[in-house]
Amino acid sequence: MIGLVVARALALRGCSDVLLIERGSLGAESSSAAAGMLAPQAEADRADHFFHLTCRSRDMYPAFAAALLEETGIDIELESTGTLYLAFTDEDTTELKQRYEWQNNAGLTLEMLDSDQAKRLEPAISENVCAALKFPLDMQVENRRLISALAAATKKLGVRLVTGTTVSALQADYRGVAGVETSGGFVSTNTVVVAGGAWTCSLGLTAISGRTSEKRFPNLGIEPVRGQMLCFEVNPQITRHVIYSQRGYIVPRRDGRLLAGSTTEQAGFDKRVTAEGVSSILSAALEISPQIGALPISASWAGLRPRAADGLPVLGQYAEIAGLFYATGHYRNGILLAPLTGELIAGAIVDQVTSTSLNLFSPNRFNHTGSSTFRVETAGGAHL
Ligand SMILES: Cc1cc2nc3c(=O)[nH]c(=O)nc-3n(C[C@H](O)[C@H](O)[C@H](O)COP(=O)(O)OP(=O)(O)OC[C@H]3O[C@@H](n4cnc5c(N)ncnc54)[C@H](O)[C@@H]3O)c2cc1C
């Protein structure tokens, strides 16, 4: 998805020769597995730079959804009902009170509810709820429809979308990026955006000139973090809001699905759903609403979140190799950060604007891996 959103933003800025190379099919990895929550406030405990980045991107969504509808006719089902965060224990309640305090003091929009108010708002939630926070500005989106809309929009704008093709290495010489090696042959270009998600660190970078030895590469340390999901069939829907607890969340979809997630696991590139994963998601979902116990499970899946060494996104130009940009490491917030990522990266490439956000989340914050070869880990899903 990040590749698509960057490709669209580039094409909208008038770039006529944008190529997106995807190993599998468009958006089929983490971006399809996601729950589509656009909820920067729900879990935030401080107003740091990352928090501001996520709020900025969330606030772009209404215009982004309207533009995609206009461009493609596809409704990405943006829901602005808000997020509800429930407390079931004293510890949960203390945490919610602290979150309420700092966000309220910072002038952010949120409401503290007692258990009766929460149950009136969402009658299907458990009798055991002690308190709740409501975040009226947080939203959700149907991420799979978002992928379809982005694919249709980029195609219409003239972006070449090449699927089933693997990028095996980036080539660079002393001037900077020279192209990418792919399973379909070499592609010459002087600009590459690496948007390979959890696989960002599984590709090679090769030198094509002896004069490259002084160049070094960032060690982003991107690792896959598995998240499992369950999907229930429910008709009519039992809740209106996205509902969180400390232990999980449920997400109602317009088409009669109810998603429940998730796990946070170091399991390498293994995308299997496990008994333990299902059990922990079920127990969190049933804590939120015991009514879920009667619902049929219609699907389960897992995806790999791309987590950089410091858990923050990696955005912008890499200083030591001209033409090399990163748009990766979005970890748990890639859907939320999609519209802003597209704007920031396309702005940096086309308008050569390096915003404060790009300075803060730059790939240049990581240490180098070495200087003698280009065998650094970079990404697939290159966008030229
Ligand atoms: C269970 C779960 C729930 C989540 N819920 C949310 C949520 O509610 N809200 C939110 O904002 N985020 C959520 N996320 C996180 C979000 O899904 C990710 O941050 C986001 O999808 C990352 O997008 P991406 O494009 O970087 O990665 P991906 O979607 O994984 O895309 C990377 C693409 O690169 C391709 N690729 C890799 N290597 C190569 C190569 N060598 N050559 C060619 N192509 C290559 C892959 O095939 C893949 O299609 C969730 C994630 C999971 C797993």
Side-chain angles (χ1 to χ4, degrees):
M1 150 139 6
I2 296 299
L4 280 168
V5 90
V6 171
R8 171 178 171 272
L10 285 169
L12 283 173
R13 277 175 164 74
C15 295
S16 56
D17 191 17
V18 183
L19 168 64
L20 186 149
I21 304 171
E22 164 58 52
R23 184 186 54 190
S25 37
L26 295 170
E29 293 291 350
S30 188
S31 300
S32 287
M37 297 177 294
L38 312 174
Q41 281 183 242
E43 289 186 297
D45 285 321
R46 70 188 83 84
D48 56 12
H49 294 301
F50 178 69
F51 176 69
H52 292 302
L53 192 81
T54 54
C55 288
R56 216 174 125 199
S57 198
R58 175 196 63 189
D59 296 345
M60 290 170 73
Y61 255 95
F64 182 55
L68 285 170
L69 182 64
E70 168 92 25
E71 288 163 35
T72 67
I74 298 174
D75 178 359
I76 64 169
E77 297 184 0
L78 183 68
E79 290 288 347
S80 46
T81 325
T83 298
L84 210 56
Y85 202 120
L86 309 183
F88 290 101
T89 64
D90 290 347
E91 208 180 305
D92 291 355
T93 308
T94 307
E95 190 176 320
L96 258 53
K97 280 185 177 156
Q98 284 166 354
R99 199 162 295 154
Y100 177 78
E101 286 295 315
W102 87 257
Q103 294 202 10
N104 191 44
N105 290 340
L108 297 164
T109 306
L110 80 167
E111 293 162 38
M112 186 98 210
L113 308 179
D114 63 24
S115 63
D116 287 342
Q117 288 168 318
K119 280 184 271 184
R120 268 201 299 280
L121 198 61
E122 284 290 7
I125 62 177
S126 165
E127 281 296 312
N128 299 330
V129 67
C130 307
L133 279 183
K134 184 176 177 196
F135 300 94
L137 301 184
D138 282 355
M139 299 178 232
Q140 67 138 314
V141 71
E142 214 312 4
N143 40 299
R144 294 182 185 177
R145 291 182 71 89
L146 175 56
I147 292 162
S148 304
L150 286 169
T154 47
K155 213 168 166 185
K156 227 169 151 182
L157 287 162
V159 173
R160 284 176 297 148
L161 303 173
V162 176
T163 55
T165 301
T166 301
V167 178
S168 51
L170 177 82
Q171 286 197 353
D173 63 18
Y174 68 95
R175 288 162 301 202
V177 166
V180 287
E181 294 163 14
T182 81
S183 52
F186 181 71
V187 181
S188 172
T189 178
N190 58 14
T191 308
V192 169
V193 180
V194 178
W199 294 267
T200 293
C201 289
S202 55
L203 292 180
L205 212 58
T206 55
I208 55 170
S209 151
R211 294 180 57 192
T212 52
S213 61
E214 70 276 12
K215 292 194 184 299
R216 293 160 191 267
F217 297 89
N219 181 12
L220 310 178
I222 297 203
E223 285 183 347
V225 178
R226 183 168 70 189
Q228 302 186 37
M229 295 283 289
L230 291 180
C231 178
F232 302 92
E233 260 176 57
V234 53
N235 193 9
Q237 270 298 353
I238 57 170
T239 69
R240 290 184 306 119
H241 297 80
V242 169
I243 305 182
Y244 276 76
S245 79
Q246 267 289 70
R247 291 155 287 282
Y249 52 77
I250 59 171
V251 179
R253 285 279 153 84
R254 280 189 205 168
D255 62 3
R257 289 179 303 142
L258 180 73
L259 311 186
S262 180
T263 58
T264 303
E265 304 163 86
Q266 309 290 335
F269 289 92
D270 184 344
K271 288 192 294 181
R272 284 176 296 186
V273 172
T274 63
E276 216 167 49
V278 171
S279 156
S280 82
I281 295 169
L282 271 179
S283 110
L286 292 172
E287 182 187 42
I288 291 172
S289 173
Q291 289 187 26
I292 289 173
L295 300 178
I297 298 178
S298 56
S300 63
W301 61 83
L304 303 174
R305 307 176 185 95
R307 187 187 187 282
D310 58 6
L312 295 170
V314 183
L315 304 172
Q317 179 155 25
Y318 180 50
E320 292 198 28
I321 302 176
L324 177 57
F325 292 79
Y326 286 90
T328 188
H330 291 78
Y331 190 32
R332 304 178 67 221
N333 292 287
I335 312 301
L336 170 59
L337 289 170
L340 183 57
T341 299
E343 286 308 303
L344 291 175
I345 301 295
I349 293 173
V350 180
D351 310 324
Q352 297 179 354
V353 175
T354 305
S355 64
T356 315
S357 304
L358 289 185
N359 284 331
L360 291 166
F361 298 101
S362 155
N364 305 313
R365 69 184 188 268
F366 293 95
N367 291 333
H368 299 140
T369 52
S371 59
S372 56
T373 75
F374 281 94
R375 292 216 62 77
V376 235
E377 318 291 290
T378 80
H383 310 283
L384 313 176

